[in-house]
Amino acid sequence: QEPKATEFISRIIVFIQQLIDKEQAYETTDGVYFSVRKLGEKYGKLSNQKPDQMMEQQIAAETGKGKVDPLDFALWKRSKDGEPFWESPWGRGRPGWHIECSVMASEVLGENMDIHGGGCDLKFPHHDNELAQAEAYWGHHQWVNFFFHCGHLHIQGLKMSKSLKNFITI
């Protein structure tokens, strides 16, 4: 299957609401954020960093109005003028980057998966955040049994990427 995030908006909204109900997420003036510190030392399993070590990277990655902690990350962002949006209990907006993946994988594969992979650049924050929200949602400590992270291929000094249109197929 090749799921598309836009096909899962209603499930994303339910997933986020469940995290709010479990007091693992909170609403602000610009959206809904996941409360990282409520996970304690469980956050950062993949990057093998403690939350305080991640602080500088996360602040640079994502700022938001009303965030309780700089490490907290967006589950839902209210849309600005001209941006795409979907209706939600928190106003017109769009899903955060990490929640899309957790919801789609959970819908397709269930509450646990054996293998998840990606580039080494996705360990933090993307995969750490996916794990955090999915494990909080499902209420257990291991959403993924094995992660495989690989290095990048470079073409003419640039990382090979579909978005850069500099990829070669086998």
Side-chain angles (χ1 to χ4, degrees):
Q1 289 185 355
E2 291 187 32
K4 295 173 180 60
T6 55
E7 297 169 354
F8 288 83
I9 298 297
S10 63
R11 288 298 305 140
I12 290 169
I13 290 169
V14 168
F15 200 101
I16 293 170
Q17 186 60 56
Q18 183 76 20
L19 290 172
I20 292 170
D21 294 346
K22 290 181 174 194
E23 299 181 356
Q24 189 61 67
Y26 58 92
E27 186 175 0
T28 70
T29 57
D30 69 342
V32 178
Y33 288 87
F34 185 86
S35 183
V36 168
R37 296 213 191 251
K38 287 193 176 184
L39 287 180
E41 296 299 313
K42 293 186 285 185
Y43 184 70
K45 289 193 271 187
L46 294 177
S47 58
N48 202 25
Q49 298 179 69
K50 302 291 184 221
D52 288 336
Q53 294 173 297
M54 301 174 181
M55 187 76 77
E56 190 173 308
Q57 295 173 60
Q58 187 69 5
I59 291 169
E62 186 177 307
T63 59
K65 296 176 185 171
K67 283 173 60 170
V68 172
D69 189 299
L71 279 176
D72 295 349
F73 58 88
L75 299 173
W76 188 265
K77 295 292 284 180
R78 287 202 175 94
S79 63
K80 297 178 179 102
D81 289 339
E83 289 182 341
F85 66 85
W86 290 266
E87 298 292 341
S88 82
W90 319 287
R92 291 179 169 184
R94 60 177 172 73
W97 176 38
H98 319 295
I99 195 72
E100 296 171 344
C101 298
S102 295
V103 172
M104 290 188 296
S106 291
E107 286 294 307
V108 173
L109 301 170
E111 68 180 81
N112 183 260
M113 68 178 93
D114 284 327
I115 300 171
H116 190 341
C120 56
D121 58 331
L122 295 178
K123 280 185 189 178
F124 178 79
H126 187 58
H127 288 157
D128 274 329
N129 290 353
E130 273 189 274
L131 277 177
Q133 64 201 6
E135 290 174 359
Y137 177 85
W138 290 109
H140 56 68
H141 72 285
Q142 191 160 322
W143 184 53
V144 176
N145 293 329
F146 299 98
F147 264 95
F148 289 99
H149 291 99
C150 57
H152 301 113
L153 297 174
H154 287 83
I155 297 177
Q156 297 176 340
L158 297 173
K159 180 176 85 170
M160 186 168 73
S161 164
K162 284 190 280 185
S163 62
L164 295 174
K165 296 182 174 64
N166 69 341
F167 63 95
I168 299 169
T169 59
I170 296 174

